[in-house]
Amino acid sequence: MRLSEVSFRPMFLKLYNWATRESEQKERLLTFYQMTDMFAEKMKSIFTLFAGHMIKNCAELLDSCNKNKSNELLFDDAKCNLLLQSVLSTLHKVFLYDKEGFVTKERFDVLMMPLLDQVENTTLGDEEYKTMITTQLTPCVAQMMASAQDTGCWQPLNYQLLLKTRNSDPKVRFAALVMLEEIHRQLGEEFLTLLPETLPFLSELLEDESTDVEIQCQKVIGELENTLGEPLQKYF
């Protein structure tokens, strides 16, 4: 079945309203975002014509499934994890297939902190957290950076991410470095504009009490040196 843009839009909006209206049937959100993930994959850049309707809702749901941001979670842990997977996967594909400048400063600002604060959402369980960070959250955030219309958005996100490296939980510090590594990979030489504010945080992490964090920090530094073409040791 093929739908034109004209016929798909009202159907999509009807589905969105069905899923997001005040209702006891919150599970509709799970169904809706599983569908948007499928739409984003099948329709690719065309889906960005419709995805703007759900950006604020995505931000709200990210916070509603984060115990650090919400006193009462939207669902139990298992369903929150399922919803996070679908929302993050949908957003990643929207950013990945964006050809029309979808990631405006306004949308970037709406999503930035709800996405970054997931780095501290360690109550998912160790394996679920690791999977969320490496396969869902990190690709999503890095692609949002790469797709942003306004490169002025990069610095605030990078700084807020660097602040996560001072979290008391080594899992969070490690995850923030994993995300930093992927952002650098996505931006390449353009990341070097963010280097001055990044280096002091990396210097701290070289002496981290966690061996895993220290090793990951050394890995990030090595990749930055490859891009820069010179050692960074003199800055530490």
Side-chain angles (χ1 to χ4, degrees), residues 87-106:
V87 169
L88 291 171
S89 182
T90 297
L91 289 173
H92 176 236
K93 288 166 184 169
V94 168
F95 304 149
L96 180 64
Y97 299 129
D98 175 26
K99 295 180 181 178
E100 305 295 332
F102 179 83
V103 187
T104 62
K105 184 181 186 304
E106 179 183 8

Side-chain angles (χ1 to χ4, degrees), residues 7-223:
S7 57
F8 181 80
R9 186 179 299 276
M11 185 196 77
F12 178 77
L13 290 176
K14 188 173 182 179
L15 277 172
Y16 175 76
N17 291 331
W18 169 80
T20 59
R21 67 187 177 209
E22 292 294 328
S23 170
E24 295 296 319
Q25 301 179 46
K26 295 182 293 185
E27 281 76 9
R28 291 176 177 180
L29 290 163
L30 296 170
T31 302
F32 175 73
Y33 280 101
Q34 287 172 338
M35 293 177 70
T36 61
D37 189 27
M38 179 186 68
F39 290 150
E41 178 59 35
K42 296 292 184 182
M43 299 171 70
K44 295 185 167 52
S45 62
I46 296 173
F47 187 66
T48 62
L49 299 173
F50 316 102
H53 295 288
M54 62 188 196
I55 292 301
K56 289 183 179 180
N57 186 249
C58 287
E60 291 169 0
L61 293 176
L62 288 167
D63 284 346
S64 296
C65 288
N66 186 342
K67 286 184 179 178
N68 296 305
K69 301 289 288 289
S70 178
N71 292 328
E72 184 177 350
L73 293 182
L74 186 63
F75 296 114
D76 60 33
D77 288 347
K79 287 182 178 178
C80 272
N81 187 37
L82 183 61
L83 182 59
L84 285 174
Q85 289 178 30
S86 297
V87 169
L88 291 171
S89 182
T90 297
L91 289 173
H92 176 236
K93 288 166 184 169
V94 168
F95 304 149
L96 180 64
Y97 299 129
D98 175 26
K99 295 180 181 178
E100 305 295 332
F102 179 83
V103 187
T104 62
K105 184 181 186 304
E106 179 183 8
R107 288 170 176 161
F108 192 102
D109 289 346
V110 167
L111 289 169
M112 183 178 78
M113 290 315 301
L115 284 170
L116 287 183
D117 286 339
Q118 287 296 323
V119 175
E120 297 173 327
N121 193 9
T122 57
T123 55
L124 292 172
D126 288 346
E127 285 304 312
E128 291 83 358
Y129 177 75
K130 182 178 179 181
T131 298
M132 188 265 288
I133 292 295
T134 57
T135 67
Q136 295 152 15
L137 184 63
T138 292
C140 181
V141 172
Q143 191 61 56
M144 185 174 77
M145 286 272 279
S147 300
Q149 278 187 313
D150 183 356
T151 57
C153 295
W154 293 355
Q155 189 277 330
L157 187 148
N158 187 63
Y159 182 69
Q160 290 299 322
L161 176 60
L162 290 170
L163 290 177
K164 305 294 185 190
T165 67
R166 291 175 173 168
N167 189 282
S168 60
D169 190 335
K171 286 192 303 184
V172 173
R173 300 197 298 275
F174 183 87
L177 282 169
V178 168
M179 188 175 293
L180 187 70
E181 178 186 10
E182 179 61 17
I183 288 172
H184 166 248
R185 191 188 71 80
Q186 283 279 359
L187 299 185
E189 289 186 1
E190 292 183 287
F191 182 85
L192 297 180
T193 61
L194 303 172
L195 202 55
E197 71 173 4
T198 302
L199 290 177
F201 289 87
L202 296 180
S203 180
E204 292 176 12
L205 293 166
L206 282 173
E207 300 177 356
D208 198 273
E209 61 186 22
S210 165
T211 302
D212 289 340
V213 171
E214 185 180 341
I215 291 172
Q216 179 64 22
C217 182
Q218 291 170 345
K219 183 182 177 185
V220 171
I221 290 171
E223 293 181 4

